[in-house]
Amino acid sequence: MSDVTNADNTNEPRLIVETGLDQRVAAIIEPVLVGMGFRLVRVRLLNLNGLTLQIMTERNDGTMTVEDCEEVSTAISPVLDVEDPIDKAYHLEVSSPGIDRPMVRKSDFQRWIGHIVKCETSILVDNRKRFRGKIAAVDNDGFTIERDQVAYGEEPKVTIPFSTLAEAKLILTDDLIRDALRADKLAKAEAANQNEAGDEEE
């Protein structure tokens, strides 16, 4: 596997990025997040509770605790206050991407092979723009899905180039919940082992 799909690559670029004001906020906070060992997933300014700035982020291993959310919130609040990109009062909300997460990096597709994704492309791929199916394979240029609903005349498998992707997210299934919980447990156990190893060295 190439390093582009390596989930530990902090500098792996996102395939799907914001525009307008969301993009400006992302540019302000991303260096802070990376410096803390987090990766930005998505920024959205929503009309909730007046105005809510939603920041989705995670550690490189895909985990995100409530304490992590508080730590990130505390770190980015003063930076946003100084830069002041939003000229109205807003509520800051930092969260994990969740189980039915947005897929924004090549490594997201690699990590969740075998699970169902729903995506939209910016141009027609195989005469369509909307797709849903199980991720069957991933390479540097795109990913192949096995459609769960095949229309007459369509191939059961379709390869979607990463360059055409406009939006993608995992679909919540029992298998996904099970695998996400297992991955989270493994990542937390690994982090605990690294902390113990670090304590022994001191």
Side-chain angles (χ1 to χ4, degrees), residues 51-106:
L51 210 53
T52 297
L53 178 61
Q54 186 190 67
I55 311 286
M56 264 188 204
T57 183
E58 65 187 349
R59 290 194 175 277
N60 291 333
D61 62 9
T63 61
M64 192 72 184
T65 63
V66 173
E67 292 76 24
D68 289 338
C69 290
E70 287 168 3
E71 189 186 334
V72 167
S73 185
T74 305
I76 63 176
S77 286
V79 182
L80 287 168
D81 288 346
V82 169
E83 296 288 339
D84 203 19
I86 303 162
D87 59 3
K88 297 184 186 88
Y90 64 91
H91 170 71
L92 178 63
E93 179 187 288
V94 176
S95 70
S96 77
I99 295 177
D100 52 345
R101 55 167 304 133
M103 307 281 273
V104 296
R105 288 180 171 87
K106 292 180 182 182

Side-chain angles (χ1 to χ4, degrees), residues 14 17-31 40 43 45 53 55 79-87:
R14 291 182 298 150
V17 293
E18 297 77 15
T19 55
L21 188 55
D22 292 349
Q23 185 179 31
R24 194 153 161 238
V25 171
I28 293 166
I29 65 166
E30 195 158 19
L40 180 61
V43 171
L45 194 57
L53 178 61
I55 311 286
V79 182
L80 287 168
D81 288 346
V82 169
E83 296 288 339
D84 203 19
I86 303 162
D87 59 3

Side-chain angles (χ1 to χ4, degrees), residues 57-181:
T57 183
E58 65 187 349
R59 290 194 175 277
N60 291 333
D61 62 9
T63 61
M64 192 72 184
T65 63
V66 173
E67 292 76 24
D68 289 338
C69 290
E70 287 168 3
E71 189 186 334
V72 167
S73 185
T74 305
I76 63 176
S77 286
V79 182
L80 287 168
D81 288 346
V82 169
E83 296 288 339
D84 203 19
I86 303 162
D87 59 3
K88 297 184 186 88
Y90 64 91
H91 170 71
L92 178 63
E93 179 187 288
V94 176
S95 70
S96 77
I99 295 177
D100 52 345
R101 55 167 304 133
M103 307 281 273
V104 296
R105 288 180 171 87
K106 292 180 182 182
S107 60
D108 293 340
F109 290 88
Q110 186 64 42
R111 179 182 271 162
W112 299 107
I113 279 181
H115 290 285
I116 297 171
V117 70
K118 187 170 149 188
C119 60
E120 204 168 315
T121 55
S122 53
I123 57 169
L124 288 174
V125 174
D126 204 23
N127 294 318
R128 297 182 73 148
K129 279 190 171 186
R130 288 198 174 93
F131 301 89
R132 182 190 148 118
K134 189 183 285 187
I135 304 168
V138 180
D139 64 24
N140 241 346
D141 301 318
F143 60 101
T144 302
I145 62 168
E146 292 171 358
R147 302 182 212 240
D148 53 3
Q149 293 161 339
V150 184
Y152 179 75
E154 285 183 334
E155 291 296 320
K157 283 188 178 184
V158 62
T159 298
I160 299 165
F162 284 128
S163 59
T164 65
L165 208 55
E167 205 170 320
K169 71 176 284 196
L170 283 175
I171 298 295
L172 206 55
T173 62
D174 290 344
D175 286 347
L176 177 61
I177 293 168
R178 187 196 62 231
D179 287 357
L181 292 173

Side-chain angles (χ1 to χ4, degrees), residues 178-197:
R178 187 196 62 231
D179 287 357
L181 292 173
R182 188 185 298 142
D184 195 47
K185 201 171 171 182
L186 283 171
K188 283 180 178 156
E190 204 172 293
N193 289 342
Q194 284 175 348
N195 288 343
E196 280 171 24

